[in-house]
Amino acid sequence: MEKIMKTYTLLSLICILYMITNNVQAQENRWYVEPMIGLSSVNSMTVEGNNILGTQGDINVSTDSGFVSGLTLGYDLNTRWSAELGWEYRSNESTIELSDGELFDLGNYASNTFFLNGVYNFSDGMIETKWNPYVGLGLLFIQEIDIDLESAAISERSWSSAGDVGIQAFAGLNYALNDSLSLQAEFRFSQLDGVKLEAEDGLADSSILNGEYNTSTVQLGAVYRF
C-alpha cells in the first residue's frame, strides 16, 4: 500500500505540474472561489491501541454520518483544465470500543486538511450549455486528524496526528446561473492509511497505530468566477 501511495502521489504531482506549465491554450483565464458544505462518511475501522487508558490491543472505531465544510480557490488554466487550492474541515461522531470492552459512545473523529487538485472540465466553453460535468484528483495535506474518546462516565480524551499526505478523487456537475456564478454538486472520495495518532495530554507512551481516514462526501457549493 505504501508503494502505491508513493506512486499515486508522484503521478498526481506530475499531472498537476503539467497542467500548470502548459497553459498555452488558454483563451480567458479566470480565478474562482467556492464555499461548500456537505455530508461526510468515514469508514469504520479496527486500529491498534498502545496504552489507551491502560489497555493494549485492537480498538474498534464505528463512525456515524457527519458534516464537512470548506473553501476552494481555483484558476481556469484553459477551457478544459483548472487547478485548485483549498481547505476543508470534517467531523463525524464515533463509538469506540477498547480491547477490554469499555465503550465510548460520545466520541468524535475530525480533521482539518488542505488540498491541491487538478480538474478536468468536459465542457470546453465553446458550446452554449449551462451544464458542465467534471472530474478531478488531488493530494490532501493533513493539518490535523483528531479522535476523541468520551462517554457519560469519562470526560474527553484526545489523540491526534499531523503532517500526513493522502489522495482524493472526485466527480461533479456545475450549473451556470450566469457568466460568473454557478451551483455545484459533487461526490468526493479521500484515502489516507497508516496514520499514527499521539495522545494530546502528554502521555508519550500512548498512541493509536495503523489508523485510516478514508472518507466519502456528498457536497453542494457555489462557484463565483472573477
Side-chain angles (χ1 to χ4, degrees):
M1 178 61 70
E2 184 178 355
K3 290 183 178 179
I4 295 174
M5 286 286 293
K6 289 181 178 179
T7 301
Y8 187 98
T9 299
L10 179 60
L11 290 175
S12 298
L13 286 172
I14 292 173
C15 290
I16 293 170
L17 289 173
Y18 176 83
M19 290 184 292
I20 293 174
T21 56
N22 287 268
N23 189 20
V24 297
Q25 299 179 1
Q27 296 182 9
E28 185 180 2
N29 297 323
R30 304 180 70 180
W31 292 95
Y32 60 90
V33 63
E34 178 203 349
M36 69 83 174
I37 58 173
L39 297 176
S40 168
S41 175
V42 179
N43 287 2
S44 298
M45 61 182 173
T46 299
V47 297
E48 180 183 348
N50 174 38
N51 190 23
I52 305 301
L53 303 183
T55 67
Q56 302 285 139
D58 289 346
I59 299 173
N60 294 318
V61 181
S62 301
T63 58
D64 297 325
S65 59
F67 79 94
V68 59
S69 61
L71 184 66
T72 298
L73 177 65
Y75 186 71
D76 292 329
L77 299 171
N78 51 51
T79 57
R80 291 286 192 182
W81 293 98
S82 303
E84 297 180 340
L85 291 172
W87 159 82
E88 178 183 279
Y89 175 76
R90 182 185 303 270
S91 179
N92 287 73
E93 295 181 354
S94 64
T95 299
I96 297 170
E97 183 181 6
L98 300 185
S99 57
D100 63 358
E102 187 172 8
L103 200 64
F104 295 83
D105 56 357
L106 299 176
N108 177 267
Y109 202 12
S111 68
N112 196 57
T113 63
F114 297 90
F115 56 80
L116 173 64
N117 291 332
V119 184
Y120 177 77
N121 301 284
F122 288 96
S123 175
D124 66 0
M126 303 301 292
I127 303 174
E128 290 294 332
T129 178
K130 292 181 176 294
W131 300 96
N132 177 30
Y134 64 90
V135 295
L137 57 85
L139 300 175
L140 288 175
F141 302 93
I142 308 301
Q143 189 272 326
E144 183 181 35
I145 293 177
D146 178 274
I147 189 167
D148 298 329
L149 278 65
E150 185 177 2
S151 67
I154 298 180
S155 60
E156 179 182 298
R157 301 284 295 276
S158 298
W159 284 256
S160 64
S161 176
D164 299 293
V165 178
I167 58 177
Q168 64 179 1
F170 52 92
L173 183 66
N174 280 321
Y175 177 76
L177 299 177
N178 53 49
D179 289 341
S180 299
L181 184 63
S182 301
L183 300 179
Q184 183 183 92
E186 181 178 298
F187 175 79
R188 184 181 299 248
F189 172 78
S190 303
Q191 182 174 355
L192 174 60
D193 297 324
V195 180
K196 179 181 180 181
L197 299 101
E198 303 281 358
E200 293 185 353
D201 55 6
L203 296 177
D205 60 343
S206 179
S207 58
I208 296 174
L209 307 175
N210 300 320
E212 299 175 354
Y213 203 62
N214 300 331
T215 69
S216 300
T217 307
V218 178
Q219 65 188 51
L220 298 174
V223 182
Y224 177 71
R225 283 182 162 79
F226 56 93

